[in-house]
Amino acid sequence: MTGWRSKLVFMLIIYFAGFATAIYFLAPAPDGQAIDSNGIMASAFKTDAFAQSFNVNMHKCLDFSKDAAQNAGKFIQQKFQEKDI
């Protein structure tokens, strides 16, 4: 692993493995599996409420980023039109 490309691929694999682990940990437990490997009750975390709150906030974030991307696109088009004149 001497090249920058292989280092980049390795770091991306590590990053996405960590992301997948976080999603797996935060996902609500299926019915009948209320205790995790550490013996902590999953119901104490109220995973359904957390999942609903996370979903609502994620949609707000996506809407905000979509609006920001559209505004940035309009701004860039305006600057290109000004430059052409």
Side-chain angles (χ1 to χ4, degrees):
M1 290 182 48
T2 58
W4 66 271
R5 291 181 188 140
S6 54
K7 289 180 183 178
L8 177 65
V9 169
F10 177 74
M11 292 306 293
L12 286 174
I13 290 171
I14 297 298
Y15 175 78
F16 285 115
F19 186 76
T21 303
I23 293 299
Y24 178 76
F25 179 78
L26 294 175
D31 293 336
Q33 294 183 358
I35 299 177
D36 67 359
S37 61
N38 294 331
I40 300 172
M41 296 292 293
S43 62
F45 294 116
K46 298 181 183 177
T47 56
D48 292 336
F50 175 76
Q52 183 67 26
S53 172
F54 183 81
N55 190 18
V56 168
N57 289 328
M58 182 59 73
H59 283 289
K60 286 181 185 177
C61 180
L62 290 174
D63 291 338
F64 175 76
S65 63
K66 188 186 301 183
D67 291 340
Q70 289 174 349
N71 290 339
K74 289 177 185 176
F75 179 76
I76 291 170
Q77 286 178 349
Q78 181 185 12
K79 289 298 178 181
F80 275 130
Q81 288 174 355
E82 288 176 4
K83 205 169 199 174
D84 288 340
I85 295 177

